[in-house]
Amino acid sequence: FNFTVVATDSATGATCTGSAPFTVVVVCPTITVNPASLPGGTDGTAYAQNLTATGGTGPYTFAVTLGALPTGLSLSAAGALTGTPTAGEFTFTVTATDTTTNCTGSRAYTVRICQVITLSAVPTCATNGSAYTTTITPSAGTAPFTFGVTGTLPTGTTLDGATGVLSGTLTAAGQFTFTITATDANGCAGSQAYTVNVLGMTPA
């Protein structure tokens, strides 16, 4: 800020003045918007994250200054990002303003809201000694997918992590419970728990 100060001496009975120019530089502190990144969400599932700021005096107000929030979400002046979003990838910038100094800090975010991914059913009954083949098919998402399993697959079968094909020749009777997770190209995932009953030996 550039300005000139004029001093007037009235005690001498005359209007004597003196002046001098001044320059004042107001340096704002570095204000950081937190967190560094925001987690993704799921279409139709409630979402809630709190944004904060550091580096200034505070209190702070928050606003979206570039881009657009995920559809269905809103950002309060206090930094609460809440709502029920719809699927898509959204890029936006949030700016925090220090209401004491009017200094600001901004951070850009990209948030992916995933579609709900469900997985197809599998045959729940099989016979020991027989071939077992089924393909796990995701209902939504972006190919290619990767498939993983937790729990215990029917003995003699394996899951192809690239194709979702569960296959093999059954070698033991029993009840087998496992969960398969499919993750799409964008990191969106869906899981399904399965129980397969393998009955006694196949007659010769």
Side-chain angles (χ1 to χ4, degrees):
F1 300 88
N2 299 301
F3 55 93
T4 298
V5 174
V6 178
T8 302
D9 181 358
S10 58
T12 61
T15 306
C16 298
T17 63
S19 64
F22 292 90
T23 297
V24 175
V25 178
V26 178
V27 180
C28 281
T30 299
I31 295 176
T32 303
V33 177
N34 302 302
S37 62
L38 291 171
T42 302
D43 182 41
T45 300
Y47 184 99
Q49 292 291 320
N50 287 320
L51 279 70
T52 61
T54 56
T57 304
Y60 303 93
T61 59
F62 297 83
V64 176
T65 52
L66 186 66
L69 292 174
T71 305
L73 297 188
S74 61
L75 178 66
S76 74
L81 180 60
T82 58
T84 302
T86 57
E89 184 174 275
F90 303 86
T91 298
F92 54 93
T93 296
V94 174
T95 297
T97 301
D98 185 334
T99 56
T100 301
T101 63
N102 209 39
C103 294
T104 62
S106 298
R107 189 184 292 276
Y109 292 103
T110 297
V111 174
R112 175 170 289 279
I113 305 300
C114 293
Q115 295 174 289
V116 176
I117 299 175
T118 59
L119 304 183
S120 58
V122 304
T124 57
C125 290
T127 304
N128 188 24
S130 64
Y132 185 94
T133 301
T134 187
T135 300
I136 308 299
T137 304
S139 64
T142 302
F145 290 86
T146 57
F147 298 84
V149 61
T150 57
T152 304
L153 291 175
T155 305
T157 64
T158 59
L159 176 68
D160 188 312
T163 65
V165 174
L166 175 61
S167 63
T169 299
L170 300 168
T171 59
Q175 186 177 80
F176 301 88
T177 300
F178 53 94
T179 297
I180 293 177
T181 299
T183 304
D184 80 352
N186 296 313
C188 297
S191 297
Q192 178 66 48
Y194 299 97
T195 297
V196 175
N197 295 293
V198 180
L199 306 179
M201 293 296 296
T202 303

